[in-house]
């Protein structure tokens, strides 16, 4: 039998495939004719009809292509079909569709996952881990070892049960120094012994506690975003303070599971009972989540006069009808909770603050005075929507919209600049528990509210290296505000 290569095409219209045979030399060109996708297919047998096989090979890429061309915010930037390879691996094909505008200088905000990865991913609402958030800093006089400073330990987690707390320094794991090769064990591993220390202000060094800390094996934990709240009374100032770490519904991130929102509503009732008239919202570790959760928090904090008003709107590409869709400061969202009727809001940020946190700040600006204390935020002013194909075992989350406040402002793609710049990561002496009035960022907020300096804020440089190698908060970052 003489084998020959011939050019074989299929016409793809929607989900229907129409074969057409043409005897010609094999080519790698994709043709696009009259809006119909023509995919080159090859056969290496004696006239055997192979088009069903090739249709099967291309269906994942074709589904990705169809979905992106309809929903992608930068749909006009998707390359024409005649330059795309519909036989490429799906993750590679997805990346080939993305606009250069997707992202803010780093990796694209649009993502693709297997269904297993996508459905298990969470904004720290249900995480198989130690429940430990940390940042790595180089050890003094050692270029290969690191200490892990604890940012916080989730409640009812192996980390909190081991008595690890904000400000502690993990120096060794099973008596071994932390390195670039082994630090990931801190995300979650088997039970192990930790050497834990504290910052000695007198000697400007990290000193180990005499006793070892034993942490149990990683397990599924619930990192409640309503992490801490309290009220401080300073003369006629009744200051509410809330540490809110991510915008999510509950352990399953399902809108029917409102356990975290219920906790937030309960906190709002506490603040109302305390008659707070000033407020500090701590979003320093909050790097995103769902738009509806941000709506709820904004409605709690906004002036009563703004209830019912437009909070902002989403702008989609011109194929989506309607192209702009508004969302509101809806009083119905806070049924069972309280609106605090605030006129000014102090917000604490770091360079991990992003996405829905930035949206909340931007969308409340037209209605109240916003004072940002901390670091410039990440800069994610877009929203994503997840599309899942169970048959193909693929989920894509493309950017589908840009987010504006009611004044038509969406100018924070490079982040929101603080009114008061303070770098938490470079501070050692004032890296104190949440709620401590001398904690660096909270102390500054209280000073601004009261108009006097009553705290002992230390911002002078230390001899210890303060640049972070890794911040664990980044691993759970949402690429954009989640529309659904």
């Amino acid at each position: 039998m003489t084998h020959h290569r011939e050019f074989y095409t299929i016409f793809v219209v929607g989900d229907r495939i129409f074969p057409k045979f043409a005897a010609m030399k094999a080519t790698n060109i994709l043709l696009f004719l009259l809006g119909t996708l023509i995919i080159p297919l090859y056969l290496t047998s004696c006239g055997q009809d192979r088009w069903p096989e090739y249709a099967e090979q291309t269906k994942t890429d074709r589904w990705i292509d169809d979905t992106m061309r309809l929903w992608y915010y930068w749909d006009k930037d998707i390359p024409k079909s005649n330059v795309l390879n519909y036989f490429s691996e799906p993750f590679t094909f997805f990346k080939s569709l993305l606009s250069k505008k997707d992202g803010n200088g780093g990796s694209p905000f649009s993502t693709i996952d297997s269904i297993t990865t996508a459905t298990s991913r969470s904004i720290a609402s249900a995480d198989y881990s130690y429940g430990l958030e940390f940042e790595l800093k180089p050890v003094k006089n050692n270029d290969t070892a690191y200490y892990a400073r604890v940012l916080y330990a989730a409640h009812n987690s192996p980390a909190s049960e081991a008595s690890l707390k904000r400000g502690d320094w993990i120096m060794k794991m099973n008596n071994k120094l932390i390195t670039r090769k082994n630090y990931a064990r801190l995300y979650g591993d088997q039970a192990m012994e930790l050497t834990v220390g504290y910052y000695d202000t007198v000697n400007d060094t990290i000193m180990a506690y005499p006793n070892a800390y034993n942490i149990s094996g990683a397990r599924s934990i619930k990192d409640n975003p309503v992490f801490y709240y309290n009220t401080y009374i300073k003369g006629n100032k009744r200051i509410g303070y809330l540490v809110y770490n991510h915008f999510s519904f509950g352990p399953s991130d399902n809108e029917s599971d409102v356990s975290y929102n219920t906790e937030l509503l309960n906190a709002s009732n506490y603040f109302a009972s305390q008659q707070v008239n000033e407020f500090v919202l701590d979003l320093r570790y909050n790097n995103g989540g769902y738009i509806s959760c941000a709506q709820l928090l904004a409605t709690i904090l906004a002036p009563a006069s703004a209830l019912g008003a437009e909070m902002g709107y989403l702008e989609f590409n011109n194929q989506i009808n309607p192209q702009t869709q508004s969302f509101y400061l809806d009083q119905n969202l806070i049924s069972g909770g309280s609106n605090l009727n605030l006129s000014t809001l102090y917000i604490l940020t770091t360079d991990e603050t992003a996405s829905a946190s930035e949206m909340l700040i931007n969308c409340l600006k037209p209605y109240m005075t916003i004072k940002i204390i901390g670091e410039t935020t990440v800069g994610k002013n877009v929203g994503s929507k997840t599309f899942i194909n169970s048959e193909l075992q693929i989920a894509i989350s493309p950017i589908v919209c840009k987010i504006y406040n009611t004044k038509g402002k969406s100018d924070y793609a490079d982040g929101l600049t603080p009114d008061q710049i303070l770098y938490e990561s470079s501070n050692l002496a004032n890296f104190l528990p949440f709620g401590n009035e001398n904690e660096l960022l909270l102390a500054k907020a209280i000073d601004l509210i009261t108009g006097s300096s009553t705290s002992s804020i230390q911002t002078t440089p230390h001899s210890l290296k303060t640049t972070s190698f890794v911040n664990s908060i980044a691993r759970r970052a949402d690429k954009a505000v989640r529309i659904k």
Side-chain angles (χ1 to χ4, degrees):
M1 179 182 296
T2 301
H3 292 273
H4 57 276
R5 299 187 71 197
E6 297 175 314
F7 184 65
Y8 191 90
T9 64
I10 55 172
F11 289 78
V12 182
V13 182
D15 289 326
R16 299 188 63 191
I17 302 175
F18 301 89
K20 181 178 180 180
F21 179 85
M24 59 180 68
K25 293 182 180 179
T27 177
N28 290 323
I29 299 175
L30 288 171
L31 302 177
F32 191 85
L33 181 63
L34 298 177
T36 303
L37 180 63
I38 305 176
I39 302 176
L41 304 174
Y42 305 100
L43 53 86
T44 358
S45 58
C46 299
Q48 180 181 356
D49 185 350
R50 299 286 295 278
W51 78 266
E53 174 187 342
Y54 289 119
E56 181 70 20
Q57 291 179 13
T58 62
K59 70 178 182 180
T60 299
D61 286 358
R62 288 187 288 109
W63 175 78
I64 293 171
D65 187 76
D66 288 345
T67 306
M68 291 288 284
R69 290 187 188 278
L70 174 60
W71 283 99
Y72 193 42
Y73 182 67
W74 298 285
D75 60 317
K76 299 296 188 294
D77 292 350
I78 297 176
K80 293 182 179 180
S81 297
N82 63 343
V83 298
L84 294 172
N85 179 6
Y86 289 83
F87 291 91
S88 59
E89 186 271 335
F91 281 53
T92 301
F93 180 79
F94 178 80
K95 291 178 182 178
S96 73
L97 305 181
L98 301 183
S99 169
K100 292 181 180 179
K101 302 167 189 171
D102 195 334
N104 56 2
S107 60
F109 291 157
S110 297
T111 61
I112 180 171
D113 289 296
S114 67
I115 282 185
T116 302
T117 304
T119 54
S120 64
R121 175 177 291 177
S122 168
I123 314 172
S125 61
D127 186 17
Y128 192 83
S129 72
Y130 291 134
L132 177 68
E133 300 298 345
F134 61 91
E135 60 181 351
L136 293 185
K137 290 183 176 291
V139 174
K140 187 176 180 180
N141 300 323
N142 190 325
D143 293 331
T144 60
Y146 297 85
Y147 290 156
R149 179 163 63 174
V150 177
L151 302 177
Y152 73 88
H155 302 304
N156 302 313
S157 68
S160 64
E161 291 164 2
S163 299
L164 289 170
K165 62 185 183 302
R166 176 175 168 80
D168 283 340
W169 293 83
I170 301 174
M171 304 169 72
K172 294 181 180 180
M173 302 181 296
N174 287 335
N175 208 34
K176 294 182 179 179
L177 288 171
I178 300 170
T179 67
R180 290 174 181 251
K181 292 183 178 180
N182 67 11
Y183 79 87
R185 292 190 64 189
L186 292 172
Y187 292 140
D189 205 328
Q190 299 175 352
M192 61 179 169
E193 181 180 276
L194 303 175
T195 302
V196 180
Y198 62 96
Y199 174 64
D200 185 329
T201 57
V202 175
N203 297 303
D204 189 24
T205 190
I206 307 300
M207 300 289 291
Y209 290 118
N211 299 320
Y213 285 54
N214 293 298
I215 191 167
S216 61
R219 64 174 186 261
S220 181
I221 61 100
K222 299 177 182 179
D223 185 3
N224 190 335
V226 185
F227 188 81
Y228 177 91
Y229 54 89
N230 200 358
T231 300
Y232 308 89
I233 300 174
K234 306 290 182 181
N236 64 347
K237 304 291 187 180
R238 304 180 69 87
I239 307 168
Y241 173 60
L242 170 65
V243 179
Y244 188 77
N245 286 337
H246 46 89
F247 292 94
S248 55
F249 298 101
S252 64
D253 270 352
N254 188 311
E255 290 196 44
S256 64
D257 183 352
V258 294
S259 59
Y260 292 162
N261 282 352
T262 300
E263 296 253 9
L264 185 57
L265 291 170
N266 291 340
S268 74
N269 288 331
Y270 161 78
F271 289 125
S273 71
Q274 296 296 304
Q275 299 179 319
V276 299
N277 51 26
E278 302 283 356
F279 205 89
V280 181
L281 176 61
D282 196 333
L283 298 177
R284 73 184 87 186
Y285 302 142
N286 191 319
N287 50 22
Y290 288 92
I291 187 173
S292 55
C293 295
Q295 277 181 271
L296 171 61
L297 181 55
T299 305
I300 289 170
L301 300 171
S305 59
L307 296 182
E310 181 185 57
M311 180 175 166
Y313 63 90
L314 311 177
E315 176 192 68
F316 296 83
N317 70 42
N318 60 13
Q319 298 184 78
I320 305 302
N321 186 23
Q323 186 175 3
T324 60
Q325 299 175 21
S326 297
F327 53 97
Y328 297 86
L329 295 165
D330 186 355
Q331 192 164 8
N332 293 324
L333 295 175
I334 56 173
S335 176
S338 301
N339 167 257
L340 301 182
N341 190 27
L342 300 168
S343 59
T344 303
L345 183 60
Y346 297 82
I347 299 182
L348 311 184
T349 64
T350 65
D351 58 1
E352 294 295 338
T353 306
S355 191
S357 291
E358 296 169 304
M359 185 200 80
L360 178 140
I361 295 170
N362 185 55
C363 289
L364 282 178
K365 279 185 174 180
Y367 297 106
M368 59 198 306
T369 300
I370 303 289
K371 297 291 185 182
I372 302 175
I373 302 166
E375 301 174 58
T376 300
T377 63
V378 174
K380 296 180 180 178
N381 61 344
V382 289
S384 69
K385 183 180 175 70
T386 298
F387 301 88
I388 296 176
N389 190 311
S390 299
E391 177 192 357
L392 302 175
Q393 293 290 294
I394 287 289
I396 62 174
S397 298
I399 297 302
V400 299
C401 64
K402 191 173 181 179
I403 304 171
Y404 294 81
N405 67 20
T406 190
K407 298 295 185 183
K409 296 289 186 180
S410 183
D411 52 356
Y412 56 97
D414 294 323
L416 294 162
T417 304
D419 299 280
Q420 295 284 329
I421 298 176
L422 285 176
Y423 296 94
E424 176 194 61
S425 62
S426 65
N427 182 267
L428 297 175
N430 290 86
F431 201 87
L432 301 171
F434 290 121
N436 187 306
E437 294 183 41
N438 287 319
E439 188 274 321
L440 183 67
L441 271 61
L442 177 58
K444 175 57 71 174
I446 292 175
D447 286 352
L448 292 174
I449 291 170
T450 60
S452 62
S453 180
T454 58
S455 61
S456 56
I457 299 177
Q458 180 180 338
T459 57
T460 55
H462 304 273
S463 64
L464 292 177
K465 297 177 183 178
T466 54
T467 302
S468 297
F469 163 59
V470 165
N471 188 317
S472 68
I473 300 294
R475 72 190 174 103
R476 74 181 192 204
D478 224 32
K479 293 294 188 179
V481 179
R482 294 190 184 190
I483 305 305
K484 283 186 181 179

